[in-house]
Each structure stands twice: as structure tokens, then as C-alpha cells.
Amino acid sequence: MTGELESPASVLVSVPLDRRIAEALTRIDRLQVPDMPDRIIAATALHLGIPLMSRDGKIRASVVTTIW
């Protein structure tokens, strides 16, 4: 996968966890999405304003727009 991220033709982008994503965590209900890694992924999608591809029912029931 590292090779794919480094390829100039890649559609994948590495997004660092930063303050803005950490702030977006406050928009993900901890009771609705209890697992921190899942909340970080959901907050990243919220921050970037993109839908998240997930079949996780908890994430799909949250404020995050999902595709599946």
C-alpha cells in the first residue's frame, strides 16, 4: 500500500491527524460511535466534507454521510 500512496497516479491521499480533525471529534457522539478509532475516521470524513465508505451500523447512524 505504501507504494500506491507514493505513486503519482494514485487516488489515495494520506491525511495526518491534526487539530482540526481532533475538533471534529466533538461532532461525533461518543455514545453513538464508542470506539475511538472509528470516531477518528468519522471525524476525518466530516472535516474533509466527504462521505465515508463504511458498513459499520454505528457510523452509518451517526451524523457522517456514508456510502455502502
Side-chain angles (χ1 to χ4, degrees):
M1 177 111 150
T2 302
E4 181 63 25
L5 284 172
E6 295 170 357
S7 168
S10 178
V11 296
L12 301 177
V13 177
S14 177
V15 178
L17 178 59
D18 62 12
R19 179 187 54 79
R20 294 171 297 187
I21 293 172
E23 289 171 354
L25 276 169
T26 63
R27 297 173 53 197
I28 310 294
D29 186 344
R30 184 181 304 170
L31 296 175
Q32 195 168 32
V33 183
D35 296 329
M36 180 59 85
D38 290 344
R39 286 202 343 263
I40 292 170
I41 292 167
T44 301
L46 276 179
H47 167 68
L48 295 174
I50 58 173
L52 179 62
M53 183 177 284
S54 177
R55 67 179 189 160
D56 184 297
K58 293 176 182 179
I59 293 174
R60 292 180 70 204
S62 74
V63 298
V64 179
T65 301
T66 57
I67 299 172
W68 190 269

